[in-house]
Amino acid sequence: MNMDILIAPIIIFMIIVAPIWLILHYRSKRQVSQGLTDEEFGQLNELITKADKMSQRIETLEAILDTEAPQWRGRDV
């Protein structure tokens, strides 16, 4: 009687859940191994360009602050 309670969920798992789980797992593995799509590669390059521009702006702002308020780096936020 106790075994019947355990066998039914195991059978349901093996018939329904396990195959779906395996299919989704190997599909995601295949997508990861294929690498970036052209769209993702373009987005990555765009983000790199924006990060470079932001870095240049930060350097410019720090240079301005160094000139106008030399003690700004020591201030607590």
Side-chain angles (χ1 to χ4, degrees):
M1 182 103 176
N2 235 355
M3 293 297 282
D4 293 339
I5 295 173
L6 293 175
I7 291 176
I10 291 172
I11 291 173
I12 292 172
F13 178 83
M14 295 299 287
I15 292 174
I16 297 172
V17 177
I20 295 171
W21 186 5
L22 288 172
I23 290 168
L24 293 175
H25 172 73
Y26 284 108
R27 182 185 298 167
S28 69
K29 286 280 193 184
R30 185 178 61 230
Q31 287 175 348
V32 168
S33 68
Q34 288 177 351
L36 297 176
T37 64
D38 290 338
E39 182 181 342
E40 292 170 333
F41 190 72
Q43 289 175 343
L44 183 60
N45 281 331
E46 184 179 332
L47 287 173
I48 290 170
T49 302
K50 287 181 180 182
D52 288 341
K53 287 180 183 178
M54 187 180 295
S55 177
Q56 291 172 355
R57 290 177 180 169
I58 290 171
E59 288 176 12
T60 302
L61 288 171
E62 286 179 344
I64 292 169
L65 283 171
D66 285 340
T67 302
E68 294 185 5
Q71 69 281 7
W72 75 271
R73 289 186 190 263
R75 289 185 187 169
D76 290 335
V77 177

